[in-house]
Amino acid sequence: MGFRVLFYFLKSYKLLYGAILTITLVASVLESLSLVAFFPVFTAVLDSSSSPGGVLGAVAGVVEALPFSDPVVSASVLLAGIFVLRTLAVFGREVLTAHASGRVLYDVKAQIMERYAGAEYQYFLDSRQGALIYNVIDAPHKVAQLLLHGPQMAAEIMRSLALLTVLLFVSPVVTAALAMLGVVYYFAVNHLSRRVSYNLGRGRAEA
């Protein structure tokens, strides 16, 4: 099973998975903003008079627009509100993803059973018993798992892109440095794991 099967079922349930994609995008943005929302709290607690720009300035403007006289309270309310919205969005995403996976599993099994019920007796004599059982039990579960992992991968990608975008607006230099460190770390771990695997395999072959 590959991307062809994935696109086939995504096309059949485009409205449902469109809703999942939308709420995944909203959840990713809120997860990134939840990090930025800490800045007004620290600024209010430390009584800082700095006026940041970009995303931080926009968040600070929202804090000032709230109808509270104490900036600490305003910043805390904004932070709590973003966390509540993020939690609701993530919960909605998980519920929709699980519902979509279960619905696909049910529909695929129902279609296979309908075909088996309408098939001629000779079809069952000519087919292998293992293949018949696999088509009813294992194959629908693999389709459901594939469609379950798809939204999860999309959620991780969107979360990373949203976080990277926010960090770029906050501090492009620090973001670039962290990205470089991440790339170096990835290649270092990959190289080290290959060396360890090679040495282990060579030791087992010589033993």
Side-chain angles (χ1 to χ4, degrees), residues 1-206:
M1 288 187 184
F3 291 103
R4 184 176 300 178
V5 177
L6 178 63
F7 289 137
Y8 172 78
F9 283 98
L10 287 178
K11 183 179 179 180
S12 302
Y13 302 92
K14 55 184 177 181
L15 292 179
L16 182 57
Y17 279 93
I20 294 176
L21 183 63
T22 302
I23 197 171
T24 298
L25 179 61
V26 173
S28 301
V29 173
L30 290 174
E31 287 180 342
S32 301
L33 289 179
S34 63
L35 298 177
V36 182
F38 277 104
F39 179 80
V41 177
F42 294 146
T43 303
V45 171
L46 298 176
D47 196 16
S48 176
S49 58
S50 60
S51 56
V55 177
L56 296 180
V59 174
V62 173
V63 172
E64 294 177 357
L66 292 177
F68 300 101
S69 58
D70 192 346
V72 176
V73 175
S74 299
S76 301
V77 168
L78 176 62
L79 180 62
I82 291 179
F83 267 94
V84 170
L85 293 176
R86 186 200 68 172
T87 302
L88 292 176
V90 172
F91 179 75
R93 181 190 67 198
E94 297 299 325
V95 170
L96 283 178
T97 302
H99 171 71
S101 179
R103 180 177 173 183
V104 171
L105 177 61
Y106 175 82
D107 291 346
V108 172
K109 283 190 174 183
Q111 292 175 8
I112 294 175
M113 292 303 299
E114 288 179 0
R115 292 189 177 183
Y116 280 178
E120 297 181 357
Y121 184 69
Q122 187 63 35
Y123 171 77
F124 296 97
L125 295 179
D126 297 337
S127 302
R128 293 183 179 181
Q129 183 179 4
L132 295 174
I133 296 175
Y134 173 82
N135 291 335
V136 175
I137 298 178
D138 292 336
H141 281 282
K142 289 189 176 182
V143 173
Q145 289 179 357
L146 181 63
L147 294 178
L148 178 64
H149 294 323
Q152 292 176 347
M153 292 177 58
E156 294 298 329
I157 293 174
M158 288 185 180
R159 183 187 300 117
S160 301
L161 292 177
L163 181 60
L164 180 62
T165 302
V166 170
L167 290 177
L168 282 173
F169 278 108
V170 173
S171 178
V173 177
V174 175
T175 303
L178 291 177
M180 291 295 297
L181 288 176
V183 172
V184 172
Y185 174 79
Y186 169 78
F187 283 106
V189 171
N190 187 31
H191 176 71
L192 181 61
S193 61
R194 288 191 177 188
R195 290 292 300 272
V196 172
S197 300
Y198 173 78
N199 292 332
L200 289 176
R202 184 178 180 181
R204 291 181 180 180
E206 294 176 353

